[in-house]
Amino acid sequence: GEKLYFIAVGTVDVVLPDGTRVGNLAEGEYFGENGFITDAPRTANVNAMTQTIVCTLTRRTLEAVLATRPGLRDMVIRGHNDELRHFEHERLSLRKKFKESLAVVAVDHLQPLIEELPRLQSMTLADLDGIPYNILEAVHPVLVRAQDVVLTRLEQLQSETGGSGKSRESP
């Protein structure tokens, strides 16, 4: 990007191209820095949530300032790279926490299903009498997806254990 935007008044909403709301920015904060500093394509859209006044810094103006202050360019780039590393660390940390939470939820919700497996194996069409069509229709894709996930995991375990289902012992 050719401009860096500073919010003087107001609040803006930051939204990814897929519509995911990332957060909001307010007075004193800025946006557009990634493209401004690295020439990378824009990664988000910014929409005013309130009446907003932004000030801009053009690349030409920044270049003029940097030309008079040797070392400032490196300092700006270092600060930007540090911020990117921080965001990546946060993203990975959140992803790990999400996966851990998902595992806990899965165990909590799969345990009752696992306990029902013997009964489900002997289930017949008569057992489904009285269950509304829309419920059966909603359950079907969930069961198909669960089957796919379980089969994929079984294949992984078989390749890891040589088909025995037991962990290989290290030499």
Side-chain angles (χ1 to χ4, degrees):
E2 289 296 314
K3 294 180 181 177
L4 179 60
Y5 301 88
F6 296 90
I7 303 168
V9 175
T11 306
V12 299
D13 199 24
V14 182
V15 182
L16 298 178
D18 69 359
T20 303
R21 184 178 174 277
V22 178
N24 58 15
L25 302 171
E27 295 172 13
E29 296 184 285
Y30 55 90
F31 58 93
E33 72 280 2
N34 195 40
F36 186 76
I37 293 173
T38 66
D39 279 331
R42 186 172 52 153
T43 57
N45 297 309
V46 176
N47 305 310
M49 296 172 63
T50 63
Q51 284 194 352
T52 303
I53 298 172
V54 296
C55 300
T56 60
L57 174 64
T58 64
R59 186 180 303 276
R60 179 184 292 166
T61 303
L62 180 62
E63 290 296 334
V65 170
L66 293 176
T68 65
R69 304 273 321 258
L72 183 58
R73 177 187 307 276
D74 290 339
M75 192 171 78
V76 169
I77 290 172
R78 245 189 337 271
H80 178 69
N81 289 340
D82 289 347
E83 188 173 329
L84 288 178
R85 277 191 294 281
H86 172 75
F87 285 137
E88 180 63 10
H89 176 49
E90 266 188 18
R91 185 187 70 79
L92 293 174
S93 177
L94 287 171
R95 183 173 183 209
K96 180 181 177 189
K97 288 177 185 175
F98 174 75
K99 287 176 81 175
E100 290 168 354
S101 298
L102 192 58
V104 169
V105 168
V107 168
D108 289 349
H109 288 85
L110 284 177
Q111 191 58 42
L113 178 61
I114 291 168
E115 291 169 1
E116 287 293 314
L117 284 177
R119 189 179 72 75
L120 291 173
Q121 286 177 326
S122 63
M123 186 167 62
T124 65
L125 286 176
D127 293 322
L128 300 177
D129 282 346
I131 297 177
Y133 177 84
N134 63 332
I135 300 295
L136 293 173
E137 190 176 47
V139 167
H140 179 259
V142 173
L143 292 176
V144 169
R145 176 68 182 135
Q147 178 184 7
D148 290 345
V149 169
V150 168
L151 289 175
T152 299
R153 184 62 183 140
L154 283 172
E155 289 171 2
Q156 289 173 341
L157 290 172
Q158 285 176 342
S159 70
E160 290 171 9
T161 62
S164 70
K166 295 180 182 175
S167 298
R168 291 182 183 173
E169 293 184 15
S170 10

